[in-house]
Amino acid sequence: MIIPIRCMTCGKPVAHLWEKYKEEVGKGKNPKKVLDELGLKRYCCRSLFLTHIDLIDYSAKFRK
Ligand SMILES: [Zn+2]
């Protein structure tokens, strides 16, 4: 859906980094490098970004 505001494991605010991450990875950059640049060091936050799929635009089609 939407990236969580904070990492659910450690509580670090991460939502503001998502757009940047999406943009850089979309350009074909290595996700590892992008995560390093954004300062996401813990593997809990990193897995959140690596496994997230943005479904908000898809599910918005079914709103009433
Ligand atoms: Zn975390």
Side-chain angles (χ1 to χ4, degrees):
M1 190 63 88
I2 315 174
I3 191 90
I5 304 298
R6 286 172 177 266
C7 173
M8 283 177 266
T9 307
C10 70
K12 179 185 168 76
V14 291
H16 61 293
L17 304 169
W18 174 248
E19 288 297 324
K20 177 85 177 154
Y21 173 82
K22 209 164 64 170
E23 189 188 320
E24 295 292 324
V25 173
K27 284 186 211 162
K29 211 165 167 184
N30 187 336
K32 178 191 181 296
K33 275 193 174 165
V34 183
L35 289 169
D36 288 341
E37 283 168 16
L38 292 174
L40 292 167
K41 291 176 190 159
R42 296 182 203 92
Y43 54 77
C44 52
C45 314
R46 294 173 80 96
S47 69
L48 194 65
F49 272 61
L50 290 170
T51 57
H52 182 71
I53 301 170
D54 244 349
L55 287 177
I56 184 69
D57 292 330
Y58 178 76
S59 62
K61 283 188 284 192
F62 304 107
R63 76 190 188 282
K64 267 226 157 179

